[in-house]
Amino acid sequence: MSEAYPLHAIVVQRYTVPAPPPELHVLEASGRARTDSVEGWLVGASDGRLWGWWGPVPDNVAPLVEPLFAAAATREWLTTGDWARRLRRAMRHTSNGLLGIAVSCMELACWDLLGWRQEAPVWSIVGGVDRSNVDSYATCFGIDPHDNASAAVASEVAFRWAVQKWRPTHSVDVMNKLAEAAGGDGALCLDFGGLWNSDAIARLCEDLSFRLAWIEEPFPPEEMHQAIGWRRPAPHAAGEHCYSRAETAILEAAGVEIWQPDAVFCGGFQSFRLLVERASEIGVRCMPHGGSLLPALHAAAAGDAVECVEYHMLLEPRRQAHLASPVMPVEGRRLVAPDAPGWAGPLNPNLRMGAVL
């Protein structure tokens, strides 16, 4: 983990790859998967001999990577952690927002590079203990709860997952129907995305005939203080917008019971692991946000206190389409951390690289 190495180059490159075939989606989502090509940006980090990659990188973040690396460039040999710190200090305002995501993507590419340098998966570099037993829950975004087929989907998902996440609707009847199909009490969680009024959330939950597993982001990140003293109708999940170890005080003050850090948002893998560590220290549950499934999976395999990871049934195969061997659930809802170098081994041979920013 502490190996120092040079960074000769960091590039951001456009890529296109065919849509993942149906067999790379879990059965419940295979008939609803998009068939158009996947396009996006990858960040590549090179020591002058090998390359490490991370993606996809958001369109509005890609242009920030090169100037950020130019500001941080040095001929020194640094560890991945030191590279992350140097990138965060290269410019002002890199602790969150788009610059923060740019730092995260570059740091994650550096971890992949380290994996290729050591010919080992990231989880084993940081002291892996067990890569084969990581639980997950299913996210059903992309399927309208009002769709006539939604209950059938919920029923199918319930055969594999104990908990599934949906976007909420104001229709109590629709929510009750979904919950019944999902398995009743504790089988459904709802992600409000900070878009609902807290009173409306409380009314909806009071009218439901089942108990929710949790409610996610009942408040937007900048209004988390409203959760202090709030009589919550179900366990409160949040934290994907917690950008550093210093900000965990906000989650603690708000009494958030389920922390959901995201390595793409919080500054990278090293910062992510600090958030997981703090959750463990104060005894709260940790279920990382699915935007960084692979780092969360590697952290769990390294022995970090990750209860389960989020698997987005429709989106995750496309997020991993640039990889030769995407990770998907096996034997039910369990996931296995890759044993290939870096995050998940080599890039997809069908990947077509385009313009470099």
Side-chain angles (χ1 to χ4, degrees), residues 111-266:
W111 278 107
D112 194 54
L113 171 61
L114 182 61
W116 284 101
R117 284 178 60 88
Q118 298 192 8
E119 298 183 348
V122 171
W123 63 266
S124 71
I125 295 173
V126 297
V129 293
D130 181 5
R131 72 183 186 90
S132 62
N133 196 29
V134 184
D135 200 4
S136 70
Y137 70 89
T139 289
C140 302
F141 295 173
I143 305 168
D144 187 344
H146 291 275
D147 191 306
N148 291 332
S150 62
V153 172
S155 181
E156 290 176 9
V157 172
F159 281 106
R160 185 190 298 256
W161 280 280
V163 178
Q164 52 186 280
K165 182 164 73 179
W166 290 75
R167 293 289 189 196
T169 172
H170 290 278
S171 172
V172 174
D173 289 341
V174 168
M175 292 287 93
N176 281 333
K177 187 176 179 181
L178 271 182
E180 182 179 358
D185 280 350
L188 204 69
C189 56
L190 299 178
D191 186 348
F192 292 90
L195 300 175
W196 282 45
N197 178 279
S198 60
D199 291 337
I201 295 173
R203 285 195 299 270
L204 173 66
C205 294
E206 183 178 329
D207 291 339
L208 296 176
S209 61
F210 62 93
R211 175 177 50 81
L212 288 168
W214 67 80
I215 54 174
E216 190 163 325
E217 289 200 307
F219 302 97
E222 71 277 9
E223 297 178 9
M224 186 73 75
H225 63 280
Q226 293 188 34
I228 300 173
W230 182 53
R231 186 177 177 183
R232 61 204 67 195
H236 180 181
E240 67 184 81
H241 298 290
C242 183
Y243 297 107
S244 71
R245 169 64 178 80
E247 291 192 355
T248 60
I250 300 172
L251 300 181
E252 294 178 44
V256 177
E257 293 105 327
I258 300 173
W259 288 16
Q260 299 175 308
D262 189 315
V264 175
F265 296 162
C266 74

Side-chain angles (χ1 to χ4, degrees), residues 252-306:
E252 294 178 44
V256 177
E257 293 105 327
I258 300 173
W259 288 16
Q260 299 175 308
D262 189 315
V264 175
F265 296 162
C266 74
F269 188 56
Q270 183 165 277
S271 179
F272 169 85
R273 296 189 72 205
L274 291 174
L275 300 185
V276 177
E277 179 182 55
R278 182 55 183 166
S280 178
E281 288 173 352
I282 65 171
V284 298
R285 303 162 73 188
C286 186
M287 303 182 189
H289 182 244
S292 58
L293 172 68
L294 288 173
L297 189 56
H298 281 261
D304 293 358
V306 172

